[in-house]
């Protein structure tokens, strides 16, 4: 098969059920209950509870009736048969690792996750058609925890074509994005710090205030000088006196650089339920799925019997044939959903067990310096699945350990060579870098060049551009910005 082109119509490649399975794999534990409840509501052939053992003859009739339905998808969830190379590797075996004793062992951790809900609520107040609303939802879904959209709009356009079968362009995206940027909290959905601060200034109660107008000029025309604290250059370029520039700079520095982290009554604390539970039994590490990931679901016995009775009756009656078709569809859908849940369980476990084996030293003592460099490809090769599969699991899942709850993304990092010839995780280097900055003289903060020399002395072979990248990831400003303001 040819690889999936994200700009092509999704319906030409994957069926709705296949798309739902991919989405089901990404659903975090806290949302799985809701997803299952939705399925139970729309499908009367699906029930909660342990599977009932039907009589052998009835089971055979039920299985045969599925196989005889030519022209429909096989009821077995054989993902290798219908997923192309881009999404191969989802097929699993076994029934998961469900431990009913884990119900009381959940230790949820706080997460500011409701901001997106509030933004969606505000989106619903806009007079948008259904298509525009979906585009708005996609943009809101691309907003990161600090309130920024860092993904290129072209990439989001591709996502819409792939996941929603909606074609759009940059002009339409930016038009809807501007509407979202008018939402609360002020500065939300900005693509850069400059845009974020300008949005907040434009929404000031008195936009004609001289300090606000001068602050806008600084951000629009002298942003680079502002970030470097070259206030004398700004003062000369904009012809401002000392009092004017101080008022404007003070106004800018009181703006919120991370609107996604504000409270303002918009973000309320929710909880993340870990997807995995790690226990250390006599030095042996054991990982199991959170029990919420292993719901007991079964096919309705009454629906199976109903189908069996209808299927054996006179099918010449059109109304009866329609009834048989309806019942068959519901049974087919219930069987698929149960299989999909089981495969979700096994994909999660296989991925987590591979991570556990790879990072065993860390999981024994929780020491961050014991983390090994690890990328998605390392785990994908170990479990024989596609990198995209591992990415979907790692992006939305967490594990509870005796040292705390960690998102799976935490364990993936690049490697840095040392003088001894070994590779260490970049997390170790970042930890050392953070310690250096925390202990620096704030009147004379360390430059990137100085940090490189200090790290090199400790045996870390690291380039200046890498230090700059890690510093930015740690949200540490450049040395000039770590000084006190005027």
């Amino acid at each position: 098969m040819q690889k999936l082109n994200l700009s092509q119509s999704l319906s030409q490649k994957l069926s709705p059920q296949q798309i739902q399975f991919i989405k089901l794999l990404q659903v975090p534990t806290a949302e799985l209950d809701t997803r299952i409840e939705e399925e139970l509501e729309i499908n009367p052939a699906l029930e909660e509870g342990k599977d009932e053992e039907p009589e052998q003859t009835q089971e055979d009739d039920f299985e045969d009736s599925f196989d005889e339905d030519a022209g429909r998808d096989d009821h077995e969830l054989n993902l290798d048969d219908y997923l192309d190379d881009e999404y191969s590797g989802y097929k699993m075996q076994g029934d998961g690792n469900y431990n009913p004793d884990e119900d009381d062992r959940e230790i949820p951790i706080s997460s500011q996750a409701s901001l997106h809900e509030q933004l969606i609520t505000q989106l619903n107040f806009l007079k948008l058609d259904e298509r525009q609303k979906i585009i708005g939802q996609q943009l809101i879904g691309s907003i990161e925890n600090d309130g920024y959209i860092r993904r290129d709009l072209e990439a989001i356009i591709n996502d819409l074509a792939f996941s929603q079968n909606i074609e759009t362009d940059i002009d339409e995206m930016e038009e809807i994005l501007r509407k979202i940027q008018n939402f609360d909290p002020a500065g939300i959905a900005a693509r850069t710090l400059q845009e974020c601060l300008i949005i907040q200034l434009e929404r000031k109660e008195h936009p004609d205030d001289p300090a606000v107008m001068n602050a806008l000029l600084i951000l629009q025309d002298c942003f680079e000088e502002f970030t470097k604290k070259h206030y004398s250059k700004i003062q000369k370029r904009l012809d401002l006196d000392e009092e004017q520039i101080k008022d404007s700079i003070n106004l800018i520095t009181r703006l919120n650089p991370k609107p996604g982290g504000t409270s303002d009554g918009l973000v309320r604390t929710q909880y993340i339920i870990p997807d995995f539970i790690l226990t250390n039994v006599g030095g042996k590490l054991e990982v199991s799925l959170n029990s919420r990931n292993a719901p007991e679901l079964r096919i309705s016995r009454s629906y199976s019997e109903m189908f069996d009775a209808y299927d054996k009756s006179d099918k010449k009656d059109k109304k009866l044939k329609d009834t048989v078709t309806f019942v068959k569809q519901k049974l087919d859908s219930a069987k698929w959903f149960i299989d999909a849940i089981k495969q979700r369980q096994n994909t999660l476990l296989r991925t987590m067990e591979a991570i556990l084996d790879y990072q065993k030293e860390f999981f024994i003592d929780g020491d961050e310096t014991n983390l090994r460099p690890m990328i998605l490809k390392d785990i994908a090769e170990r479990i024989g699945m596609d990198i995209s599969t591992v990415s979907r699991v790692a992006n939305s899942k967490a594990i509870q350990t005796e040292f705390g709850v960690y998102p799976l993304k935490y364990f993936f990092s690049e490697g840095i060579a040392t003088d001894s010839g070994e590779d260490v995780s970049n997390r170790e280097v970042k930890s050392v870098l953070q310690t250096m900055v925390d202990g620096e003289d704030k009147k004379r903060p360390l430059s990137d060049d100085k940090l490189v020399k200090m790290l090199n002395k400790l045996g870390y072979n690291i380039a200046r551009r890498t230090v700059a990248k890690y510093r930015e990831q740690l949200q540490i400003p450049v040395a000039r910005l770590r000084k006190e303001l005027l």
Side-chain angles (χ1 to χ4, degrees):
M1 285 186 179
Q2 294 181 344
K3 286 200 172 186
L4 185 64
N5 186 337
L6 295 185
S7 64
Q8 291 178 346
S9 171
L10 181 63
S11 60
Q12 296 174 1
K13 290 292 181 179
L14 301 177
S15 73
Q17 282 189 335
Q18 296 156 16
I19 298 168
Q20 286 186 33
F21 176 77
I22 293 172
K23 292 181 178 179
L24 190 62
L25 186 65
Q26 299 172 216
V27 173
T29 297
E31 299 175 15
L32 186 61
D33 286 345
T34 302
R35 175 67 184 88
I36 291 173
E37 287 174 7
E38 291 173 354
E39 195 70 21
L40 288 168
E41 287 179 6
I42 65 176
N43 192 348
L46 184 67
E47 296 179 346
E48 290 185 279
K50 293 183 179 180
D51 192 21
E52 297 176 351
E53 291 295 334
E55 296 178 7
Q56 186 62 39
T57 55
Q58 183 184 28
E59 177 69 17
D60 291 343
D61 288 341
F62 179 61
E63 295 295 336
D64 290 342
S65 63
F66 271 112
D67 295 335
E68 291 169 0
D69 189 14
R72 295 183 58 82
D73 291 339
D74 185 5
H75 69 285
E76 292 293 339
L77 186 63
N78 190 345
L79 293 164
D80 289 342
D81 289 342
Y82 59 67
L83 290 180
D84 59 21
D85 293 340
E86 186 74 19
Y87 291 99
S88 62
Y90 284 91
K91 189 168 184 179
M92 300 156 287
Q93 297 176 350
D95 294 324
N97 187 5
Y98 171 43
N99 185 349
D101 295 330
E102 299 298 346
D103 281 321
D104 298 327
R105 299 175 58 185
E106 298 165 358
I107 303 180
I109 57 176
S110 178
S111 171
Q112 304 295 328
S114 64
L115 174 61
H116 284 197
E117 297 174 5
Q118 299 290 341
L119 294 174
I120 291 295
T121 299
Q122 295 177 71
L123 181 71
N124 292 334
F125 284 114
L126 297 181
K127 294 181 179 180
L128 302 177
D129 58 33
E130 191 61 31
R131 181 178 173 281
Q132 292 173 323
K133 187 175 293 186
I134 292 174
I135 294 174
Q137 291 170 349
Q138 191 77 17
L139 284 167
I140 290 174
S142 300
I143 296 175
E144 299 182 13
N145 290 339
D146 57 3
Y148 287 84
I149 291 181
R150 293 188 173 86
R151 295 199 68 206
D152 189 80
L153 291 186
E154 288 284 359
I156 300 176
I157 289 173
N158 283 337
D159 286 346
L160 281 164
F162 172 71
S163 62
Q164 303 290 346
N165 193 21
I166 288 179
E167 299 290 338
T168 184
D169 56 32
I170 289 292
D171 289 340
E172 184 177 27
M173 289 287 284
E174 289 188 340
E175 180 183 352
I176 297 176
L177 176 60
R178 284 192 292 272
K179 295 179 184 295
I180 294 173
Q181 288 176 342
N182 286 324
F183 292 173
D184 288 324
I188 200 69
R191 289 161 287 184
T192 63
L193 174 61
Q194 182 182 20
E195 186 176 42
C196 176
L197 299 177
I198 289 174
I199 290 171
Q200 293 178 61
L201 284 175
E202 289 176 339
R203 292 180 58 179
K204 285 293 183 181
E205 185 175 355
H206 302 290
D208 55 347
D209 183 287
V212 175
M213 296 174 68
N214 289 332
L216 277 170
L217 286 174
I218 291 171
L219 294 177
Q220 291 168 343
D221 302 336
C222 307
F223 185 71
E224 185 176 354
E225 290 85 351
F226 167 73
T227 60
K228 295 178 179 179
K229 292 190 176 182
H230 291 162
Y231 300 131
S232 59
K233 291 183 179 180
I234 297 174
Q235 187 174 347
K236 182 177 180 181
R237 183 173 176 181
L238 298 181
D239 192 24
L240 301 175
D241 60 36
E242 186 173 342
E243 191 65 30
Q244 287 175 318
I245 193 169
K246 281 187 177 181
D247 288 345
S248 297
I249 294 298
N250 287 334
L251 177 60
I252 294 172
T253 55
R254 288 199 299 271
L255 300 175
N256 185 3
K258 297 179 183 179
T262 60
S263 53
D264 292 343
L266 289 168
V267 180
R268 60 180 181 277
T269 300
Q270 292 185 336
Y271 293 92
I272 293 176
I273 305 297
D275 302 84
F276 307 94
I277 311 295
L278 182 68
T279 54
N280 190 328
V281 183
K284 182 180 179 181
L285 298 177
E286 296 180 356
V287 64
S288 62
L289 278 174
N290 183 311
S291 60
R292 292 192 181 187
N293 280 299
E296 292 183 344
L297 298 172
R298 67 188 181 196
I299 293 173
S300 168
R301 181 72 173 272
S302 60
Y303 251 69
S304 298
E305 293 173 348
M306 186 190 308
F307 176 77
D308 186 53
Y310 285 157
D311 193 44
K312 292 178 180 178
S313 62
D314 183 5
K315 297 183 180 179
K316 294 181 180 180
D317 183 277
K318 185 180 183 303
K319 186 174 181 180
L320 183 58
K321 286 180 67 175
D322 290 343
T323 302
V324 172
T325 300
F326 173 80
V327 175
K328 166 72 167 65
Q329 289 173 345
K330 293 302 181 182
L331 288 169
D332 197 3
S333 178
K335 179 70 165 66
W336 177 88
F337 190 78
I338 292 171
D339 285 348
I341 290 290
K342 288 182 179 179
Q343 292 209 28
R344 178 184 186 275
Q345 295 166 14
N346 283 281
T347 299
L348 295 182
L349 272 174
R350 288 179 64 184
T351 304
M352 189 63 244
E353 287 170 351
I355 295 173
L356 176 61
D357 182 61
Y358 204 100
Q359 303 287 10
K360 187 173 182 179
E361 289 189 21
F362 168 82
F363 286 111
I364 289 176
D365 57 20
D367 186 350
E368 188 179 55
T369 61
N370 285 331
L371 280 173
R372 297 172 56 193
M374 183 179 77
I375 58 177
L376 294 172
K377 184 180 178 181
D378 294 327
I379 300 303
E381 289 178 347
R382 286 198 172 204
I383 63 178
M385 292 185 179
D386 194 86
I387 291 176
S388 61
T389 307
V390 178
S391 176
R392 284 182 170 84
V393 174
N395 278 336
S396 58
K397 306 297 183 293
I399 182 170
Q400 175 188 314
T401 74
E402 57 185 285
F403 319 110
V405 179
Y406 295 87
L408 296 198
K409 290 188 293 186
Y410 176 83
F411 306 111
F412 292 88
S413 62
E414 300 169 351
I416 297 293
T418 64
D419 287 343
S420 63
E422 297 180 356
D423 275 353
V424 297
S425 168
N426 61 9
R427 287 198 176 278
E428 177 180 330
V429 180
K430 289 179 183 178
S431 178
V432 174
L433 179 62
Q434 184 70 64
T435 300
M436 289 178 173
V437 172
D438 289 344
E440 71 185 359
D441 181 356
K442 298 306 177 184
K443 293 182 180 179
R444 301 173 62 186
L446 300 169
S447 66
D448 286 353
D449 287 331
K450 182 64 176 176
L451 290 169
V452 169
K453 292 178 182 178
M454 294 172 66
L455 288 167
N456 288 162
K457 285 183 180 180
L458 294 176
Y460 300 108
N461 299 322
I462 189 168
R464 184 184 182 280
R465 64 178 179 276
T466 307
V467 167
K469 181 177 75 171
Y470 290 172
R471 176 177 51 72
E472 290 173 0
Q473 290 174 350
L474 291 168
Q475 299 181 343
I476 299 173
V478 296
R480 184 185 299 276
L481 293 179
R482 299 202 297 273
K483 290 181 179 179
E484 294 182 1
L485 289 173
L486 290 172

